[in-house]
Amino acid sequence: KQLNTADFFLSARNSAGSRSIALSFFASGMGAWVVYGSTEMGANPDLSWFGVLGYSAASGLPALIICWIGPRVREISGEKAFATTDFGRERYGRLMQLSIAGISVFYMFIYLVSELTSISNVYGLLVGVDTFDTTTIKYTRSIAISLAVITFFYTSVAGLPASIVTDKYQAGLMFTL
């Protein structure tokens, strides 16, 4: 296994055990939105437990589905497949591959914006800054930009394996909280 290849840098293929992958999925799915979304749903008397259970199912079900269909997708795509887009190309053609890529980029943009916003607001609340005041937008924006730059730096230097390691620590912190 060669660790200095572009494939390893981008995919970390076969480098993480099931525990690391599970923690990475957990940390990725349970971002800072958990601080806002679940508690807001639980506090709403009309939704209450239905909302909390719905959020829980929506958070855990995708990982279970991946466990169930993952081996079949890998069988169809082959051992050298890199992402879901490769499965789409193998199974349905180039147009589907481009569609999956476009949807994935759009989804990741929305995800990143929401995560950076949530983290900035949580940090602002922890230090006692009113995050809903228009005068603090510059403060929360600086937090989001700092976080994005730091994350970009360590992933550009160490690739996906670094992201898996930080996800494990993030998941541990989330279990502790």
Side-chain angles (χ1 to χ4, degrees), residues 16 29 38 42 44-45 48 56 62 65 99 118 122 138 143 151 158 173:
S38 306
N44 185 338
S48 176
S56 300
I65 291 171
S99 299
S118 295
V122 167
K138 189 174 182 181
I143 297 298
T151 304
L173 181 64

Side-chain angles (χ1 to χ4, degrees), residues 68-130:
W68 181 52
I69 67 170
R72 178 73 175 129
V73 169
R74 189 169 188 169
E75 180 183 311
I76 291 170
S77 301
E79 289 291 319
K80 295 293 182 185
F82 181 71
T84 310
T85 53
D86 292 331
F87 171 75
R89 187 191 64 220
E90 287 293 320
R91 183 81 171 168
Y92 302 106
R94 178 69 68 184
L95 182 61
M96 180 58 76
Q97 181 186 28
L98 294 173
S99 299
I100 292 170
I103 291 167
S104 297
V105 168
F106 176 73
Y107 171 81
M108 285 309 299
F109 173 75
I110 299 298
Y111 177 80
L112 283 172
V113 168
S114 66
E115 277 297 304
L116 290 173
T117 302
S118 295
I119 291 168
S120 298
N121 288 340
V122 167
Y123 186 79
L125 291 171
L126 286 174
V127 298
V129 174
D130 182 10

Side-chain angles (χ1 to χ4, degrees), residues 20-31 59 63 167 170-172 174-175:
S20 294
I21 291 171
L23 290 173
S24 184
F25 268 103
F26 174 75
S28 297
M30 299 294 147
S59 300
D167 282 349
Q170 181 182 352
M174 293 171 80
F175 281 128

